[in-house]
Every structure is written in C-alpha cells, then in structure tokens.
C-alpha cells in the first residue's frame, strides 16, 4: 500500500476539525483495470466503469459483468436500471452485473447519420435516456422505444466532454462549452438560454453553480447571469453530489477541493500526480471515490471518536493521574513536575509544582496533590501557585484524601498517615491497627463517601479490601464476613470507585469485585472467565448507564452489568496504545479521560459504542467451481451434487469506510453460528445434496449486531442413486430378495429334512436289503444242512463267516465312509457265503490297480453288495453252467480322485433276466436305493449298467460301471 500511495501527494488537511484519509485500490487488489472512468452507487453497491467494462464492488471483491468487457466511458442510473455505452455496441440497459444486458440502440458507423455513433454524457430523466453525439443532443424514450436528436451547433462537433444535465421546471437544463440550453418537455424542443462557455454545473438546493474554462466559479441567478464569485487556480468540474447544505466539491486534473457557499472559501482535500477522470461523493458513507488513470482512490473523513489531548508537554512524561473538579475542569498530574488544567473553554493551562506528582484528589474547591516530597494544594478557580502543606521526610506520598476533617495520606511504604485538616499536624496515634498491618501490606487507593471509607491494598497474607471502622479507629478486612472468602478475585487490589447504587468496585490483578456497603462481595469478574486479554486491571469507573469501564494492559473494556457482556476498544478504534494502565478518570458528563505511554485521550462514552453499521447486508457473488454465476434477488439456485466441487458465497455489509471493524457470522439450516472474522465469504467444499437455508449476520468490533439478516436458499440435487425413491426401491428390492432368500433357505432346510429322512430310510432299506430274508433264511438253512449232515467244520466255518458279515454290515452302516479295504473284506465274506449257498456255481476275482492303496481310499459303505447280489441271482443263477464275477478297482485317467469300480458277470444278461422275473412276484429295491445314494453324494458320481452281447447279439452278461469320488473321510 505504501508503494501505491507514493503516487498521491496527501498532506494532512483539516475540515471542520476532521482529517481525511486515503486508500488506493488498483488492479492488484482485483480492480479490472487501473484506468477508471467513473463510479456510482446503486443498491448500496459501488459500480465502477473502467477500460475493461463495468464491475460491482462491495469493499472486498470486484464482480464484473461477464458480457461487458470493453471500455465504458459513460454510465448513469435511475436506481432501478443502469444505462451505459460500451465501445462498439451502443446504448445498453441492465439491472445489475448479474442480469442480462439489453441493447437499446446499436451504434452504426457505416451509415451517413452521425447521431448513432456515440452515446456520451448519459443522463436519465423522466423515462428518457439522454446523451450526446458529436454536435447533437439526443434521448431514447424508454416507453416508445424511439430516439430523437437535437442539433446544438453546426460548426462544432465536440460535445463529448464538459456537458451537464440539470432538471428544471420546464424540463432539462444543459450546460456546455457552447452555452446553456433548455429542453421544454411540453414542446419537446431545445432552445438557447445563454451563449456562454461553461465547464461544469451542479445543483445545491434551488441554486445552480457553474465553473468556467477560465477558472472561476459562480452561481446562476434568475436572469441566467453568472457573477464571478471565486477565482480558482485552474479550470474545474463539480462533483455532482453535494457534501452538505452549504458545501460543494469540485475537482480538476490533479486535486479535489471543497467550496463553502456561505463563506466562498475553498479547501483542498487531496492531490494526485495521476490524472483525475471523475469524482463521486457517497453521502451515506461520506466517501469520495476518485477515478484516476492509476486506480480508484478512496478519500474519507477520519471519524475518530477517541480524541487526543494536546498538553503541550515539552518532554514526554507519563500522566500519573486525572481528576475533575466541581466546575467541570479536568486536572492532569505530569511526572515532569507539572499540573495541567483543561478549563471549561477546553484551553490547557500549566502549573509547575516542586515535586513529582503521583495522585490528585478534589475536596470542595481545593485540589490536593500527592508528590514524592509531600502534599500540595491550590484553589481550583484561580491561577495562584501550589501551596505545600505537608512535608514527607521519610516517605513518598502516593495519595492524599480529605475525609472526616482529616487528610489521609497513603505512603509508598509503611503506615498510613493521618493529619488534622485545620492544623495540618499529624495524628500519629489515631489508627489502632497493629504494626504488622502496616509493615506487610502495600496501600494503593482510598475512596470515601458519607461515613465510610474504603481501602484497596496488596495484602500478601490476606485479601486487599478493607474499610475504616470509626468505632475501633482501625481498618477492618472484609475476609471475616460470611461467604466472602471464595469470592475474592486476588490479594492485590489496585483502584476503587463508588457505583451509582452505593456499592464499591475494586480492580485487581485478575479482575474486579463489587462490594455492598456492608462489606459483602455481591459480584466478581474474572479475566479468564470473560476472556480479557490482560490480567492487569487498573482504572475502573461506572458510566451514567451503569456500565463498568476499566483499563487493562490490552485495551479499554466496557462491562454491561445487565447481560455480563464485555466490549473491547483497542488501537483499531483509535487508542494511541493498547496499554491503558495509567491515569483513568470518568467525568460526570460521561467523558472518560485516560493516559497511555505519553498520550492523553478522552472518549465520549455516550457515543463511542454507537455502531457505524448502515443496516445493509447483501449477497455479492456466487461461484460454482470458481465460475461466477448470474442470480436474481430471492432466487433459489439449484445445483447437481455430482457436478459440484466447491461453492463460494461472497457477501458484504457495504461499509466501505470501516470494513476492518466488521465481524461476520453465518449458520446453515438453523445450526450453530460459525464466525468468519472480517472475511465475508462462505466456501463449501464437496457439499452434499439437500435444501439449504443460509443466514448471515454482521456486527462491529464493539459487539453490535445489526438488525438486518441476509437469508438465501439453494438446493443441491442428489444423483439418482442417492435419491429417496432410489433408496426406497432398493430397500424394497432388498426386502424382496431377503424374503426370497429366506424362503429359499427355509425350503432348503425342509428339503434337507426330507432328504435326511429319505437317506435314513434308504440306509434302513439298504441294511434290510443286505440282510434280506431270503439271504438270511438260505444262509441259516445252509448252516442247518451242514449240521444235519454232520459236517461240523463246514457248519462252523459258514456260521463264522456269516456272523462276521452281519457284524461288518451293522458296523459299516453307522459310518458315512469306510476304507476300500473294509468294503473288500465285507464283499469277500458276502461272496463266499453266496458261493456256498449256490453250491459253488460261480467263482469271482477282485483286482486293484497298482496306483491305489485300499487303506487310503474312502467310499460310502454298503454300495457293492446290491450290485453283486443282482449279478449273482439274476444273471449267473439262470445260466447253464458255472458263472464268473470280475470286480476291478482303479483310478480315473482324467481325475485321480475319482475311483472307478467295475462289476462284470457272465450271466444271462438283463433282457433274459427280465423275462424270467415276470413270473416272480418279488420286487427288489436295493439296487435303485444304492444307485440313488451314490449319485446324491456328489454330482460328479456316475452309475452306468451296460449289457454285454456276443457276435450274434445274444446276451452274455452285464457290466456295472461305478465312478465315485474319493471322500478322504
């Protein structure tokens, strides 16, 4: 900023005791172009037209109109619409920077008519947009949409500059270098009023003031005569907005000045090395906006509510104390051995004193001063020198207080001294406190009213609040009073002051306490609890509105007793320093005087906390994915979640003068407030779908929240997979699938139950089939036959084999799998018994491949017997001659885990056996049950029964091919 201010010569000028400050806004601050042609206000926004179009400024950001990017030299507004000329386009109308533009009249450089080439000096009046073009004045009628032009001067074609419109009773006055003209609305004609070269004109009340090219300023009288009132240094133009009822502003190429119409005096406000193009004065914010070729200059009055007092001190010294006397005069104690008096005319008077003053006190018409060498006094209403009344030989006086016809002196150390007010003699035995009370404590302040005096002290072994008890003639500490002990802020108390209700407030390191007349602590303020920036609380007082004011090492604070709210004033508000721990005094008219590091200041507490907010808060711009969006007032913007990465909202209180003192906060959908500090921007990254209501509030650094709340809404739609109907359909689909799956599981469980039941039945049937009655009956008959024939050995062998077979069948039927070895043992027993029963009508052979270990192969139990029984009794039994059975075990060539079992007989075949079975009533289910068991264990298992034929197609046996997975159980 310092580098930019180099281009402006800005001495400190005073106007009505006010200082003007300047700030330069340039391209580096966001201004679209440093070449600025003009500004105006609309809807509280500042509109700026430059070499790169028109933009709106809210004191924080610039938002350009996206369709206007060329030079805009002239613009005007009727506070509803904006009218401007963009180079190469023509006369344009728009509502704001976010609205679409409407071209009212297009420029046409190709035809012979010169009156549609330019629209300069634009001015809106009575539904007509006036402008100039070469040597014509013209208007565009917004109602009829027609244009009309009037010739001003045939010879001259230069109306571009120095042309003003001012409304009149008849219609419209026009001021130019060719003279003064007037448009009569009733005749719709323009006539010459006076042939005179006019540089600029403006209106103040009913008066019209003009300037001329030859540098004079005057007022137009009723006969259109212009007396030369003021001679200017150069030709100037008026700022069209008056400063006040008596004050106008004007500018030339390099400075801005004011003109007082009553005194005819001019005053320079600001000077510039850059060319000034235009000046706009905003009466609401009291800011001059100066458009130059090197940026936009903001010029405004220093509205300083905290005033510095010039004591004309020769050497910087700390002001130790301040008091007010009954006449309203304010006294200052300077450690330079000087006492100052600000009289009722606010003039500063100086009185030397032969000692370094520490504290001041007033009693009636007398001022008492405590110094390092004693006590001095003087009358408040004369100019006589100070009189030394008490000499302190072995102590330095900190404070002298008159009460109860005595002078009470607080020393820098040691006992409190008491003197008779009339004789000025010390009363050494007056106080009855013990010696330790005076030796270990440090006394800081005395206040007295009526029959009570209070003492603020540092008491290392107690708490430093005491009162004087007249009966005992001793200071009594209030620690003995019930419930006080836990309410003390600290043991080091600095200052004391009376409140309006008779209570006393004591400041301390760490806060303050309020004590009622009976000595009971009724309120406490802790610096940590109330987030006070510094524990060193010194001066303290109460204003007429019952607010507590106190100074600290980090600023000046107000405490509102009604709501326990604190407000801080600091350097940003005009304090010379944030260290307010020196002199401190509040006058009866609510003027607070205080000193801080070589400075004395005063504040009118009745006005200091008035807010500068103008109760305006507006949405400036909306950016989606860093792109500016057009929007209308109260429009609910709609976005798609999947397309939105970031959403930025810029808003402003449009307080161009004190934007650094503003504090913004917002909340969304009535949630907790989020504080933004002084940056009015909300950024939402990857916002989720939903309906949003955003509320924004602004307050100042003093804690004032303005009434107006900015509210706006926007909607973010979710992708289809996040919509409620999608989730409803999904839940419905899940419910259906869950129901179907549950139903399937239930059915599966039912099916499993049925299968288990069937499996159990099959096992029972299989067991019964392997122990069928025929087999059992014939086996027992065979045993009986051996016994009858006295073939005991044969009977014994048969019975042993039979019993072994029965045991194996019973044992194996309880297992899910058995080894191939166990199955072979049972099969051999069965075949041997059947061979005996059939008188050895067949023999058999069992073969196992070399790559198979019977102990390592697991198969279901009881699967061979039904196929063997069928081969013996339905194949070999009906054969003439001896039969043969081949049983082979091997592994499948394609799957090593697949066991291949082949049972081959040379019986009559299935066809012949079927013919024989027709005459039999017995039906066997064992074969089908076993086949079902094998196929049900694994879908890869196979059971095939093949018929064997000779070359004549005569059946010569059957082959059963079983493929079953090794179960490894």
């Amino acid at each position: 900023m310092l580098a930019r201010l180099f281009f402006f010569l800005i001495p400190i000028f005073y106007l009505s005791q006010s200082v003007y400050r300047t700030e330069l806004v340039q391209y580096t601050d966001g201004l679209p172009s440093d070449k600025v042609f003009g500004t105006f206000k609309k809807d509280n926004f500042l509109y700026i037209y430059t070499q790169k179009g028109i933009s709106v400024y809210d004191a924080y950001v610039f938002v350009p109109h996206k369709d206007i990017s060329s030079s805009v030299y002239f613009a005007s507004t009727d506070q509803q619409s904006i009218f401007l000329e963009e180079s190469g386009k023509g006369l344009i109308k728009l509502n704001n920077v976010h609205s679409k533009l409407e071209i009212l009249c297009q420029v046409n450089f190709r035809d012979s008519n010169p009156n549609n080439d330019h629209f300069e000096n634009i001015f809106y009046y009575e539904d007509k947009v006036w402008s100039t073009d070469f040597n014509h004045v013209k208007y565009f009628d917004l109602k009829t949409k027609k244009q009309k032009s009037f010739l001003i001067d045939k010879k001259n074609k230069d109306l571009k500059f120095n042309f003003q419109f001012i409304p009149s009773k008849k219609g419209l006055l026009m001021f130019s270098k060719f003279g003064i003209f007037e448009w009569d609305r009733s005749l719709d004609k323009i006539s010459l009023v006076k042939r005179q070269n006019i540089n600029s004109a403006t209106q103040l009340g009913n008066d019209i003031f003009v300037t001329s090219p030859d540098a004079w300023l005057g007022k137009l009288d009723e006969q259109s005569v212009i007396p030369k009132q003021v001679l200017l240094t150069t030709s100037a133009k008026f700022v069209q907005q008056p400063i006040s009822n008596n004050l106008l502003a004007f500018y030339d190429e390099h400075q801005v000045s004011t003109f007082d119409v009553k005194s005819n005096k001019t005053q320079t406000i600001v000077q510039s090395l850059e060319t000034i193009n235009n000046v706009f004065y905003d009466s609401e914010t009291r800011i001059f906006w100066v458009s130059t070729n090197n940026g936009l200059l903001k010029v405004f009055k220093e509205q300083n509510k905290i005033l510095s007092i010039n004591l004309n001190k020769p050497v910087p010294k700390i002001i130790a104390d301040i008091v007010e006397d009954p006449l309203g005069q304010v006294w200052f104690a300077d450690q330079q051995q000087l006492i100052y008096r600000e009289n009722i005319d606010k003039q500063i008077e100086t009185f030397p004193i032969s000692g370094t003053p520490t504290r001041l006190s007033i009693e009636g018409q007398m001022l008492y001063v405590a110094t390092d060498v004693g006590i001095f006094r003087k009358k408040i209403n004369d100019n006589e020198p100070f009189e030394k009344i008490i000499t302190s030989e072995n102590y330095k006086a900190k404070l002298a207080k008159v009460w109860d016809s005595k002078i009470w002196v607080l020393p820098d150390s040691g006992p409190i001294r008491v003197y008779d007010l009339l004789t000025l003699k010390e009363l050494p035995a007056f106080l009855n406190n013990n010696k330790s009370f005076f030796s270990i404590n440090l006394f800081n302040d005395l206040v007295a009213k009526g029959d009570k005096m209070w003492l603020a002290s540092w008491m290392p072994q107690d708490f430093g609040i005491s009162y004087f008890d007249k009966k005992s003639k001793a200071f009594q500490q209030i620690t003995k009073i019930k419930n006080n002990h836990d309410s003390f802020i600290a043991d080091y108390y600095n200052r004391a002051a009376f409140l309006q209700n008779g209570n006393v407030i004591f400041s301390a390191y760490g806060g303050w306490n309020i004590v009622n007349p009976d000595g009971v602590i009724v309120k406490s303020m802790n610096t940590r609890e109330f987030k006070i920036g510094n524990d060193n609380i010194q001066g303290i007082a109460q204003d007429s509105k019952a607010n507590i004011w106190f100074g600290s090492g980090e600023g000046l604070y107000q405490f509102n007793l009604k709501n326990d709210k604190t407000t801080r004033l600091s350097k940003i508000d005009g304090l010379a320093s944030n260290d307010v721990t020196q002199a401190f005094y509040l006058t009866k008219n609510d003027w607070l005087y205080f000193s801080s590091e070589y400075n004395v200041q005063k504040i009118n507490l009745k006005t200091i906390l008035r807010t500068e907010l103008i109760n305006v808060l507006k949405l400036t711009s909306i950016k989606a994915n860093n792109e500016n969006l057009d929007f209308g007032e109260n429009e609910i913007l709609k976005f798609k979640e999947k397309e939105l990465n970031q959403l930025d909202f810029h808003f402003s209180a449009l307080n161009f003068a004190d934007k650094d003192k503003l504090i913004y906060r917002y909340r969304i959908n009535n949630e907790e407030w989020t504080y933004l500090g002084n940056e009015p921007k909300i950024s939402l990254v990857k916002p989720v779908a939903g309906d949003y209501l955003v509320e924004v509030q602004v307050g100042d650094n003093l804690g004032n929240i303005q009434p107006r709340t900015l509210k706006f809404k926007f909607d973010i739609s979710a992708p289809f997979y996040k919509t409620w109907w999608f989730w409803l359909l999904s839940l419905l689909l899940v419910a259906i699938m869950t129901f179907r799956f549950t139903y399937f599981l239930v059915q599966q469980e039912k099916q499993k139950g049925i299968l288990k039941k069937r499996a159990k039945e099959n096992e029972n049937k299989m067991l019964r089939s392997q122990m069928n009655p025929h087999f059992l009956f014939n086996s027992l008959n065979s045993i009986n036959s051996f016994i009858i024939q006295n073939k005991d050995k044969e009977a014994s062998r048969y019975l042993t084999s039979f019993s072994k077979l029965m045991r194996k069948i019973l044992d194996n039927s309880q297992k899910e799998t058995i080894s191939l070895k166990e199955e072979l043992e049972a099969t051999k027993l069965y075949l041997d018994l059947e061979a005996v029963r059939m008188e050895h009508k067949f023999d058999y052979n069992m073969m196992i491949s070399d790559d198979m270990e019977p102990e390592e192969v697991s198969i279901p139990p009881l699967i061979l017997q039904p196929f063997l029984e069928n081969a013996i009794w339905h194949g070999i039994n009906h054969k003439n001659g001896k039969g043969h059975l081949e049983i082979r075990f091997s592994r499948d060539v394609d799957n090593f885990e697949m066991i291949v079992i082949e049972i081959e007989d040379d019986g009559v075949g299935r066809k012949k056996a079927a013919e024989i079975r027709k005459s039999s009533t017995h039906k066997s289910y064992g074969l089908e049950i076993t086949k079902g068991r094998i196929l049900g264990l694994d879908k890869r298992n196979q059971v095939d029964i093949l018929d064997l034929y000779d070359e004549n197609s005569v059946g010569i046996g059957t082959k059963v091919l079983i493929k079953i997975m090794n179960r490894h159980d």
Side-chain angles (χ1 to χ4, degrees):
M1 180 63 75
L2 290 175
R4 281 181 251 151
L5 291 177
F6 173 79
F7 294 102
F8 288 84
L9 301 177
I10 310 167
I12 299 176
F13 292 104
Y14 291 86
L15 183 64
S16 300
Q17 297 182 345
S18 296
V19 181
Y20 278 93
R21 282 176 49 202
T22 61
E23 290 180 15
L24 181 62
V25 184
Q26 290 185 304
Y27 179 78
T28 53
D29 302 305
L31 186 66
S33 171
D34 281 338
K35 198 161 189 177
V36 183
F37 299 120
T39 58
F40 60 87
K41 286 283 289 292
K42 180 182 181 295
D43 301 327
N44 292 105
F45 288 101
L46 183 70
Y47 281 79
I48 305 167
Y49 45 101
T50 71
Q51 193 170 255
K52 292 186 178 179
I54 188 167
S55 304
V56 72
Y57 181 49
D58 68 351
Y60 301 93
V61 296
F62 293 86
V63 181
H65 194 290
K66 64 180 183 180
D67 297 325
I68 302 176
S69 56
S70 299
S71 295
V72 176
Y73 297 103
F74 301 95
S76 180
T77 180
D78 64 347
Q79 296 305 315
Q80 298 295 324
S81 302
I82 299 169
F83 305 96
L84 58 90
E85 178 198 36
E86 183 185 11
S87 295
K89 286 187 178 179
L91 183 63
I92 292 173
K93 174 186 175 183
L94 51 94
N95 293 328
N96 52 58
V97 293
H98 305 292
S99 65
K100 293 182 179 180
L101 61 84
E102 177 187 356
I103 299 178
L104 301 178
C105 283
Q106 278 190 316
V107 296
N108 189 349
F109 299 110
R110 297 180 179 178
D111 65 3
S112 58
N113 184 5
N115 293 307
N116 54 13
D117 292 348
H118 302 285
F119 297 89
E120 298 161 344
N121 301 299
I122 297 173
F123 182 79
Y124 172 85
Y125 183 64
E126 295 182 350
D127 291 323
K128 294 176 175 58
V129 184
W130 290 83
S131 62
T132 63
D133 191 346
F134 291 113
N135 56 359
H136 280 69
V137 175
K138 56 188 176 182
Y139 68 73
F140 179 84
D141 193 314
L142 294 173
K143 290 183 177 180
T144 64
K145 306 297 181 184
K146 293 181 179 179
Q147 180 175 280
K148 185 174 182 179
S149 63
F150 306 89
L151 179 65
I152 296 297
D153 194 299
K154 290 183 179 180
K155 298 179 180 179
N156 296 293
K157 296 183 178 182
D158 188 13
L159 291 178
K160 181 174 183 179
F161 301 107
N162 305 336
F163 195 99
Q164 259 96 37
F165 296 92
I166 295 178
S168 66
K169 292 181 180 179
K170 289 184 178 181
L172 200 59
L173 284 170
M174 305 171 192
F175 298 83
S176 73
K177 63 186 294 184
F178 308 117
I180 304 172
F181 299 83
E182 187 171 23
W183 171 69
D184 189 325
R185 69 169 65 84
S186 62
L187 302 175
D188 196 16
K189 289 184 178 180
I190 288 180
S191 59
L192 177 66
V193 175
K194 187 178 182 63
R195 182 70 69 177
Q196 187 166 353
N197 190 344
I198 302 297
N199 199 52
S200 175
T202 191
Q203 190 169 20
L204 181 65
N206 295 322
D207 297 325
I208 295 176
F209 293 84
V210 299
T211 61
S212 73
D214 50 349
W216 56 263
L217 183 153
K219 184 173 71 173
L220 187 71
D221 64 16
E222 294 180 357
Q223 286 75 38
S224 298
V225 176
I226 310 170
K228 299 179 181 180
Q229 287 179 258
V230 178
L231 186 65
L232 305 177
T233 57
T234 183
S235 176
K237 299 179 184 178
F238 279 112
V239 177
Q240 292 302 305
Q241 301 76 29
I243 312 305
S244 67
N245 293 334
N246 300 317
L247 204 63
L248 293 172
F250 61 91
Y251 64 97
D252 57 35
E253 286 190 347
H254 294 289
Q255 70 179 20
V256 181
S257 305
T258 59
F259 169 64
D260 190 315
V261 298
K262 285 190 174 181
S263 65
N264 284 342
K265 291 183 178 180
T266 63
Q267 175 73 58
T268 300
I269 294 175
V270 66
Q271 292 178 322
S272 166
L273 293 178
E274 297 295 332
T275 301
I276 297 175
N277 298 318
N278 184 270
V279 178
F280 169 77
Y281 178 72
D282 180 7
S283 59
E284 186 173 37
T285 60
R286 301 183 294 276
I287 296 175
F288 289 93
W289 295 98
V290 183
S291 302
T292 78
N293 285 342
N294 192 41
L296 180 65
L297 184 66
K298 179 171 72 172
V299 183
F300 56 100
K301 284 184 180 180
E302 184 75 81
Q303 297 296 320
N304 199 345
K305 296 180 180 179
I306 302 178
L307 305 178
S308 293
I309 300 173
N310 184 8
L311 297 177
N312 300 316
K313 299 194 301 177
V315 179
K317 284 287 184 179
I318 300 248
I319 296 299
D321 201 12
I322 304 171
V323 295
E324 181 189 30
D325 65 29
L327 300 178
Q329 300 177 122
V330 180
W331 297 81
F332 307 87
D334 186 350
Q335 290 183 346
Q336 185 69 16
Q337 297 188 352
L338 294 171
I339 301 296
Y340 302 101
R341 178 175 65 186
E342 182 188 62
N343 61 30
I344 57 176
D345 296 324
K346 305 305 177 186
Q347 300 297 316
I348 301 297
E349 299 168 305
T350 305
F351 300 89
I353 191 168
S354 57
T356 302
T358 53
R359 297 288 302 279
L360 306 173
S361 65
I362 298 288
E363 176 60 26
Q365 299 296 309
M366 200 68 72
L367 170 68
Y368 289 83
V369 182
T371 74
D372 59 340
V373 295
I375 309 301
F376 295 78
R377 72 181 177 185
K378 78 176 297 296
K379 291 182 179 180
I380 62 174
N381 57 354
D382 64 25
N383 293 324
E384 296 299 318
F386 279 94
E387 173 192 5
K388 187 176 183 181
I389 59 174
I390 297 172
T391 299
S392 56
E393 296 178 352
N394 55 358
Y395 69 90
K396 294 179 181 180
K398 293 172 62 175
L399 173 66
K401 190 78 177 177
V402 175
W403 178 70
D404 196 26
S405 301
K406 298 173 184 64
I407 301 175
W408 303 72
V409 180
L410 298 185
D412 59 344
S413 63
I416 297 173
R417 313 300 174 106
V418 182
Y419 297 84
D420 186 276
L421 181 60
L422 295 176
T423 65
L424 300 177
K425 290 183 178 181
E426 186 175 1
L427 306 173
F430 182 78
L431 295 175
N432 292 331
N433 291 87
N434 57 41
K435 291 183 179 180
S436 64
F437 179 80
F438 296 118
S439 62
I440 64 175
N441 298 324
L442 181 66
F443 309 110
N444 295 321
D445 200 12
L446 273 174
V447 291
K449 182 182 288 187
D451 62 348
K452 206 137 190 183
M453 182 165 63
W454 295 87
L455 176 64
S457 314
W458 175 36
M459 296 186 175
Q461 297 179 4
D462 209 322
F463 296 100
I465 300 177
S466 309
Y467 66 92
F468 182 73
D469 180 54
K470 287 186 175 182
K471 187 175 181 180
S472 64
K473 292 185 178 181
F475 285 97
Q476 303 291 335
Q477 292 147 281
I478 67 171
T479 50
K480 299 175 182 178
I481 297 175
K482 187 179 180 181
N483 299 328
N484 269 358
H485 191 276
D486 294 334
S487 300
F488 286 99
I489 288 297
D491 60 359
Y492 200 123
Y493 286 85
N494 297 310
R495 294 288 184 269
F498 280 99
L499 304 183
Q500 296 168 5
N501 59 4
N503 292 341
V504 188
I505 188 166
F506 292 84
S507 67
Y509 283 96
W512 46 255
N513 288 118
I514 295 178
V515 179
N516 70 15
D518 296 325
V520 178
I521 296 176
V522 294
K523 190 173 184 64
S524 303
M525 192 285 295
N526 188 297
T527 54
R528 292 184 298 277
E529 179 184 352
F530 287 90
K531 298 179 181 177
I532 306 301
N534 186 272
D535 288 337
N536 186 8
I537 308 300
Q538 291 286 336
I540 197 160
Q542 185 180 41
D543 66 20
S544 60
K545 294 182 180 180
N547 297 307
I548 304 297
W549 290 84
F550 57 91
S552 78
E554 282 294 333
L556 180 65
Y557 286 86
Q558 181 220 54
F559 187 92
N560 189 320
L561 289 173
K562 295 179 181 178
N563 56 20
D564 283 358
K565 177 185 174 184
T566 60
T567 302
R568 176 177 178 251
L569 298 178
S570 64
K571 291 180 71 174
I572 194 174
D573 303 294
L575 292 185
S577 168
N578 285 337
D579 185 1
V580 187
T581 57
Q582 306 299 325
F584 191 94
Y585 191 84
L586 179 60
T587 70
K588 55 181 176 289
N589 292 325
D590 275 349
W591 278 91
L592 180 63
Y593 287 75
F594 56 92
S595 65
S596 57
E597 297 178 337
Y598 319 126
N599 286 279
V600 181
Q601 294 181 291
K602 66 179 181 179
I603 304 173
N604 186 345
L605 299 185
K606 294 177 181 178
T607 61
I608 184 62
L609 295 186
R610 285 181 191 163
T611 182
E612 293 296 324
L613 295 167
I614 59 176
N615 201 28
V616 173
L617 189 56
K618 293 199 173 187
L619 192 60
T620 304
S621 71
I622 303 174
K623 288 185 177 181
N625 302 332
N626 211 32
E627 292 290 331
N628 276 315
L629 302 180
D630 292 336
F631 62 92
E633 192 171 357
N634 301 322
E635 179 183 359
I636 300 177
L637 292 175
K638 299 186 181 297
F639 305 95
K640 294 181 179 180
E641 182 184 20
K642 63 180 181 180
E643 299 174 356
L644 200 58
N645 294 321
Q646 182 167 327
L647 202 53
D648 296 315
F649 298 93
H650 293 266
F651 37 86
S652 174
L654 301 174
N655 189 326
F656 295 91
D658 294 317
K659 67 179 183 179
D660 292 335
K661 296 182 181 180
L662 303 183
I663 299 171
Y664 294 86
R665 67 179 186 177
Y666 77 95
R667 66 179 180 182
I668 297 177
N669 294 339
N670 295 313
E671 294 180 353
E672 292 294 322
W673 289 99
T674 299
Y675 283 82
L676 297 167
N678 57 10
E679 184 179 0
K681 175 185 176 182
I682 300 172
S683 293
L684 303 177
V685 180
K686 290 287 185 182
V688 298
D691 298 335
Y692 291 81
L693 169 63
V694 181
E695 296 173 87
V696 181
Q697 290 184 340
V698 63
D700 58 23
N701 62 310
L702 302 175
N704 300 298
I705 299 293
Q706 77 171 20
R708 186 180 298 275
T709 298
L710 171 64
K711 296 182 180 181
F712 55 91
K713 297 179 179 180
F714 63 94
D715 298 339
I716 301 178
S717 60
F720 75 94
Y721 53 82
K722 288 187 177 181
T723 57
W724 65 268
W725 53 265
F726 175 82
W727 284 103
L728 182 62
L729 290 177
S730 300
L731 289 173
L732 184 61
L733 181 61
V734 169
I736 293 172
M737 293 177 66
T738 302
F739 173 77
R740 293 293 300 270
F741 184 67
T742 304
Y743 178 79
F744 172 77
L745 291 178
V746 170
Q747 294 301 113
Q748 285 289 96
E749 289 299 318
K750 287 182 179 180
Q751 194 66 26
K752 285 180 181 179
I754 294 171
L755 291 175
K756 285 181 180 180
K757 183 177 179 182
R758 287 179 180 174
K760 194 66 178 177
E761 291 175 353
N762 288 341
E763 287 178 6
N764 293 334
K765 288 179 181 179
M766 178 190 67
L767 185 60
R768 289 195 300 271
S769 70
Q770 295 204 336
M771 296 181 5
N772 64 71
H774 293 286
F775 174 69
L776 295 175
F777 179 75
N778 292 332
S779 296
L780 292 174
N781 275 343
S782 298
I783 295 169
N784 185 49
S785 176
F786 286 135
I787 294 172
I788 292 173
Q789 297 177 25
N790 294 320
K791 297 180 179 179
D792 297 335
K793 292 183 180 180
E794 288 81 349
S796 178
R797 283 197 300 272
Y798 196 91
L799 182 60
T800 299
S801 298
F802 180 74
S803 64
K804 286 182 179 180
L805 178 61
M806 293 301 101
R807 177 171 292 177
K808 282 192 175 293
I809 290 173
L810 291 172
D811 289 344
N812 292 347
S813 66
Q814 304 300 316
K815 302 176 183 178
E816 290 189 7
T817 62
I818 61 173
S819 66
L820 179 58
K821 179 182 178 182
E822 292 175 304
E823 183 71 6
L824 293 176
E825 290 174 352
T827 300
K828 187 173 184 307
L829 289 172
Y830 171 73
L831 290 175
D832 287 344
L833 289 174
E834 288 287 31
V836 172
R837 284 179 56 203
M838 295 186 68
E839 297 179 349
H840 300 286
K841 186 176 180 178
F842 70 92
D843 55 15
Y844 65 90
N845 185 29
M846 291 190 290
M847 295 180 291
I848 301 173
S849 63
D850 295 336
D851 59 357
M852 186 180 294
E853 295 292 336
E855 295 86 352
E856 297 177 358
V857 176
S858 297
I859 61 174
L862 311 176
I863 62 170
L864 297 182
Q865 185 271 335
F867 295 103
L868 295 172
E869 180 185 5
N870 193 66
I872 293 170
W873 290 100
H874 298 290
I876 296 174
N877 183 40
H878 299 298
K879 179 183 177 180
N880 295 324
K882 191 174 183 177
H884 180 69
L885 274 173
E886 282 282 344
I887 306 168
R888 295 184 289 273
F889 298 91
S890 62
R891 293 187 183 275
D892 189 80
V893 294
D894 297 325
N895 188 350
F896 188 77
E897 294 297 315
M898 181 73 76
I899 307 302
V900 180
I901 305 172
E902 298 175 87
I903 302 173
E904 186 176 333
D905 68 74
D906 59 354
V908 297
R910 287 192 297 171
K911 184 177 180 181
K912 183 68 175 177
E915 293 174 355
I916 297 171
R917 252 195 324 268
K918 286 181 181 180
S919 60
S920 172
T921 58
H922 173 70
K923 189 171 183 179
S924 175
Y925 295 97
L927 194 63
E928 290 301 319
I929 292 171
T930 303
K931 185 176 179 181
R933 277 187 64 215
I934 294 171
L935 296 178
L937 290 172
D938 194 302
K939 62 182 181 181
R940 293 169 291 183
N941 293 349
Q942 298 179 25
V943 177
D944 294 311
I945 301 177
L946 307 173
D947 294 315
L948 303 177
Y949 297 97
D950 60 10
E951 61 275 10
N952 297 317
S953 300
V954 177
I956 56 172
T958 306
K959 180 178 180 180
V960 178
L961 181 63
I962 301 171
K963 292 186 177 181
I964 188 167
M965 291 300 294
N966 183 8
R967 303 192 68 188
H968 296 289
D969 293 338

